[in-house]
Amino acid sequence: MAEVFPFKGVVYDRDYAKEEIMAPPYDVINDKEKKMLKEKSPFNIVRLTLPDSYDKAKETLSKWLNDGVLKFDEQCCFYSYQCDYEFEGKNIRLNGFIAALKVEEFGGSVKPHEKTLKGPKIDRFNLITKTNAMFCPIMGLYNHNKEIEEILNIDRESFFEEEFENIKHRIARITDKDQIRTIQNALKSESIIIADGHHRYETALMIKEYYNKQGIKEGGFDYIMILLLDAQTGGLSLNPIHRLVKKIDDFDAFLTELKRYFVIYSEDDGNWDFAMYDGEGFVYLRFKENKPSDLLKRLDVSIFEDYIYKKILNLTDKDIKNQRVAGYAHSKDELIELVNSKKARLGFVLKPMSFEELVEITNKGLTVPQKSTFFHPKIPSGLVGYHFKSIEGCRDV
């Protein structure tokens, strides 16, 4: 049973709620970008999401709350969120809501779709246990629900509406108790798939365990801030991560082997598995054999790695991971640029996995191969924050 709750969000005072306070998710910001964001405003959220030290973050948050830069909402709310963005020539509206999700071990009503690495969790653990707050929502998907869709489509006055990175972001409060209960009841029988933020969710589990071991069995640490989106109508783009081959010792031998497993043709009829770019143009590959019946093995990303990386190039999992020969691109344009600049010998465009495939995989307790999915857009930090105190008075609204 997925349990979501309204909360008293930590929001910027209107006098400070301008473009300069937002920042990209912490894990995509480099040192140069961090410096630029800090120079934009003394109140940019990057000072809390990517601080110079954990103690400094705690000090800054306390000061901003005392000075009124940030404040707790007076009411328990879900926060409707919309943004309009363009991706690969399409104009799309993202439409969801931000809630406090009660954390539970993976495998029940909250499901991962990929495995994670250990490193990034320690940093977020230290930051959140020091500040008792988080300002970067994770993203989750739920199956289409008409009742929730109708609530999200109600015209509400935004309390925050600013442009950042050429995207206008709008936040409004959902305070009606009947609407809140309708959303909660609708999700009780649903599973939530973590789309973005696996590390942060696992960090929340670590934090819960940390306090439980101290004898503290319940509190604001039991929840994580999440942007929830309808998998079918929420507007999140599920995209593939394309593959690169950085070097090939014998191209003719590689091509001969490629033809053993794939039909190669020059016209784009849409009926291809991979589109290969060599710096001159694209050719199209169609797998000769019947795709495996196994749910994971039949994914395009699995076929690519099993046949092109492993059978043809003789790469091991370790070789793929170290990326000396293997490589990745998050867009077709990036792939073309990397091949044209000689940073890769070949680029392979993959087709996206469907949301239906993703749901089927996670419902069976499986995870997709690493670097299989790329969700767009990324949600900036600074829209609303969650503090351990934010849940107080909101569990029985």
Side-chain angles (χ1 to χ4, degrees):
M1 180 172 74
E3 295 186 79
V4 297
F5 295 86
F7 63 101
K8 298 174 183 175
V10 180
V11 298
Y12 277 92
D13 182 87
R14 281 186 178 273
D15 290 340
Y16 300 94
K18 298 176 181 178
E19 178 182 343
E20 288 78 6
I21 57 93
M22 283 187 275
Y26 75 95
D27 54 354
V28 300
I29 301 173
N30 60 33
D31 289 341
K32 181 180 178 181
E33 290 166 334
K34 176 182 172 180
K35 183 174 183 292
M36 290 172 60
L37 288 164
K38 291 173 72 172
E39 289 172 349
K40 279 187 174 183
S41 168
F43 307 110
N44 190 282
I45 198 68
V46 77
R47 297 173 187 271
L48 297 179
T49 60
L50 206 60
D52 296 331
S53 72
Y54 305 124
D55 285 329
K56 184 64 176 177
K58 180 179 180 180
E59 176 188 324
T60 299
L61 177 58
S62 178
K63 178 172 174 52
W64 286 4
L65 286 169
N66 288 334
D67 293 350
V69 177
L70 293 175
K71 58 184 180 181
F72 283 91
D73 257 338
E74 295 180 358
Q75 300 182 74
C76 299
C77 314
F78 285 138
Y79 295 87
S80 70
Y81 168 75
Q82 287 185 342
C83 73
D84 297 306
Y85 68 98
E86 182 180 339
F87 189 73
E88 295 189 343
K90 296 179 182 178
N91 294 315
I92 304 170
R93 170 163 291 183
L94 196 74
N95 190 20
F97 69 100
I98 298 172
L101 172 67
K102 190 166 186 180
V103 297
E104 60 174 68
E105 293 293 336
F106 279 140
S109 57
V110 179
K111 301 179 185 296
H113 83 273
E114 66 179 10
K115 294 179 180 177
T116 61
L117 303 174
K118 184 177 180 181
K121 301 170 195 172
I122 304 302
D123 167 62
R124 293 298 102 176
F125 175 89
N126 290 334
L127 178 62
I128 293 170
T129 53
K130 179 64 72 170
T131 62
N132 290 346
M134 60 190 76
F135 293 89
C136 299
I138 66 171
M139 285 199 294
L141 299 168
Y142 58 89
N143 281 323
H144 176 64
N145 185 280
K146 188 176 180 181
E147 288 182 306
I148 298 178
E149 185 178 29
E150 289 174 352
I151 291 171
L152 294 181
N153 286 335
I154 294 172
D155 189 25
R156 292 181 175 84
E157 181 182 359
S158 301
F159 70 87
F160 181 91
E161 188 168 333
E162 296 292 338
E163 189 170 296
F164 178 67
E165 295 184 333
N166 299 315
I167 298 175
K168 182 166 280 189
H169 304 270
R170 297 180 294 278
I171 297 282
R173 297 177 177 92
I174 301 174
T175 57
D176 182 278
K177 291 184 179 180
D178 289 336
Q179 293 175 10
I180 289 172
R181 291 193 194 101
T182 296
I183 291 173
Q184 289 178 309
N185 290 333
L187 291 178
K188 279 183 179 178
S189 59
E190 293 291 336
S191 295
I192 289 172
I193 298 172
I194 303 301
D196 190 43
H198 289 79
H199 288 113
R200 282 170 281 160
Y201 189 87
E202 292 187 352
T203 300
L205 290 170
M206 290 169 56
I207 291 169
K208 179 177 181 176
E209 182 182 17
Y210 169 76
Y211 285 107
N212 287 170
K213 284 183 176 178
Q214 297 180 48
I216 307 170
K217 297 302 181 184
E218 188 175 354
F221 55 82
D222 281 316
Y223 305 84
I224 189 169
M225 184 170 63
I226 186 169
L227 170 63
L228 286 164
L229 299 155
D230 188 308
Q232 282 71 42
T233 63
L236 187 64
S237 294
L238 170 54
N239 305 286
I241 298 179
H242 306 303
R243 267 36 183 186
L244 302 170
V245 176
K246 294 181 179 178
K247 61 180 182 177
I248 300 174
D249 294 329
D250 187 337
F251 187 79
D252 289 337
F254 171 82
L255 200 58
T256 298
E257 285 296 297
L258 198 64
K259 290 176 180 177
R260 284 183 60 193
Y261 302 107
F262 298 92
V263 177
I264 302 175
Y265 55 101
S266 59
E267 295 298 323
D268 181 3
D269 63 357
N271 189 29
W272 47 267
D273 295 302
F274 312 114
M276 183 174 77
Y277 182 72
D278 63 358
E280 300 288 332
F282 281 94
V283 294
Y284 303 91
L285 281 61
R286 187 166 61 246
F287 192 48
K288 285 183 177 180
E289 302 176 16
N290 292 326
K291 291 190 176 181
S293 58
D294 181 271
L295 185 57
L296 293 180
K297 288 290 185 181
R298 73 175 185 233
L299 294 174
D300 287 349
V301 62
S302 298
I303 290 173
F304 182 90
E305 296 203 349
D306 286 345
Y307 284 84
I308 296 179
Y309 276 166
K310 293 181 179 179
K311 284 191 176 183
I312 298 176
L313 293 170
N314 295 314
L315 300 181
T316 64
D317 288 333
K318 185 177 180 181
D319 294 330
I320 295 170
K321 192 173 181 179
N322 68 35
Q323 296 187 42
R324 281 193 283 269
V325 175
Y328 305 96
H330 286 82
S331 71
K332 184 177 177 180
D333 288 342
E334 182 188 7
L335 178 146
I336 291 171
E337 191 279 326
L338 288 168
V339 174
N340 287 347
S341 64
K342 310 299 183 186
K343 293 178 181 176
R345 178 64 179 85
L346 293 172
F348 292 83
V349 173
L350 276 62
K351 289 182 176 178
M353 184 188 310
S354 69
F355 278 110
E356 289 75 19
E357 287 176 318
L358 184 65
V359 169
E360 185 181 3
I361 288 166
T362 56
N363 281 343
K364 291 187 175 180
L366 304 172
T367 55
V368 302
Q370 284 198 326
K371 295 189 179 292
S372 296
T373 56
F374 170 58
F375 293 94
H376 186 81
K378 298 288 187 181
I379 307 306
S381 305
L383 301 170
V384 62
Y386 172 83
H387 191 281
F388 288 175
K389 293 181 181 178
S390 290
I391 201 69
E392 292 177 4
C394 297
R395 280 172 280 218
D396 298 309
V397 171

